[in-house]
Amino acid sequence: EPEVTQTPSHQVTQMGQEVILRCVPISNHLYFYWYRQILGQKVEFLVSFYNNEISEKSEIFDDQFSVERPDGSNFTLKIRSTKLEDSAMYFCASSVGLYTEAFFGQGTRLTVV
Amino acid sequence: AQSVTQLGSHVSVSEGALVLLRCNYSSSVPPYLFWYVQYPNQGLQLLLKYTTGATLVKGINGFEAEFKKSETSFHLTKPSAHMSDAAEYFCAVSDPRAAGNKLTFGGGTRVLVKP
């Protein structure tokens, strides 16, 4: 069964460092998303991406964040200068169409120390 | 803005008993509604969704949910709990008018099933 895969499953980084979280969406999907869940809090929407551009982003998704689909198969989330409060589980998701089911990856746990 | 409230962060049920997970939402427009399940060390998996039409929707693993507009609710039920239902369950809403298909999640309810 097709699935969204995320790497790495756990990443530890020092405060101020850049980090790139990687995702391989399902191959025929056209819409891509990033969500995050800080420990003990709700899953929060970060950004949606379609046709090589951001279609919607949340207030959380500031200039420190960027997304890219560099090669037609990967979808990445970059955090330029990590802060302690960026520590969270980051989920990638993809969907075929705009209002179709979003399939989620297993998540990358980011720990900023 | 949309919001979702799930009553009870933890629910304990006996195997074979009814599972009832409560979800209330706030939305300025008729939303699309979803229930997702997360098993340990796995991603979020869609259980069921309501977009339009019949207000009682059936999902995978014997779960169903009923959209009640007057109560702004979308409670999830399963008649008979199984040990494999132990997981965390998330209710979510989206705005059909929005360009980005953003999901707004509730806080989640962790279900424990007792033998």
Side-chain angles (χ1 to χ4, degrees):
Chain A
E1 183 176 327
E3 60 180 14
V4 176
T5 57
Q6 291 185 241
T7 54
S9 57
H10 191 187
Q11 181 153 0
V12 181
T13 189
Q14 290 200 328
M15 190 169 53
Q17 294 296 304
E18 174 182 286
V19 66
I20 297 176
L21 308 182
R22 303 182 189 279
C23 169
V24 179
I26 295 172
S27 61
N28 64 331
H29 286 191
L30 301 177
Y31 291 80
F32 314 109
Y33 316 88
W34 283 101
Y35 289 80
R36 78 173 185 188
Q37 185 178 29
I38 296 171
L39 190 62
Q41 298 186 22
K42 294 183 178 184
V43 176
E44 303 172 289
F45 170 80
L46 292 178
V47 66
S48 58
F49 189 85
Y50 168 71
N51 199 26
N52 282 321
E53 59 183 30
I54 291 173
S55 47
E56 188 174 1
K57 62 181 181 179
S58 71
E59 294 176 352
I60 303 166
F61 196 86
D62 61 21
D63 292 344
Q64 291 297 313
F65 292 89
S66 63
V67 289
E68 190 179 29
R69 189 156 162 78
D71 56 14
S73 61
N74 291 283
F75 180 52
T76 61
L77 174 69
K78 181 191 290 186
I79 309 175
R80 289 189 181 81
S81 178
T82 50
K83 306 170 191 168
L84 294 176
E85 54 265 36
D86 293 327
S87 295
M89 179 73 86
Y90 287 81
F91 292 105
C92 174
S94 67
S95 64
V96 171
L98 185 56
Y99 301 117
T100 57
E101 176 183 355
F103 288 79
F104 283 77
Q106 294 182 325
T108 293
R109 181 165 297 284
L110 176 66
T111 303
V112 182
V113 296
Chain B
Q2 298 180 306
S3 66
V4 178
T5 301
Q6 291 182 239
L7 187 63
S9 58
H10 291 79
V11 167
S12 181
V13 298
S14 298
E15 192 174 17
L18 171 72
V19 179
L20 170 59
L21 304 182
R22 300 180 186 275
C23 171
N24 288 90
Y25 68 89
S26 172
S27 178
S28 57
V29 298
Y32 290 167
L33 296 155
F34 307 82
W35 276 99
Y36 280 85
V37 61
Q38 185 180 29
Y39 298 103
N41 300 316
Q42 295 188 25
L44 299 166
Q45 179 184 5
L46 182 68
L47 273 178
L48 48 79
K49 66 179 180 183
Y50 170 80
T51 55
T52 59
T55 56
L56 181 64
V57 292
K58 296 185 184 299
I60 62 172
N61 302 337
F63 284 93
E64 62 182 36
E66 186 171 12
F67 168 55
K68 291 188 177 181
K69 183 179 179 181
S70 61
E71 299 178 7
T72 61
S73 68
F74 191 56
H75 302 330
L76 181 71
T77 59
K78 181 174 180 178
S80 177
H82 191 272
M83 297 299 292
S84 61
D85 294 326
E88 188 157 20
Y89 294 78
F90 295 90
C91 182
V93 300
S94 70
D95 181 347
R97 305 166 308 171
N101 202 21
K102 160 189 169 183
L103 291 168
T104 300
F105 285 88
T109 298
R110 189 170 297 279
V111 173
L112 171 66
V113 182
K114 299 177 293 185

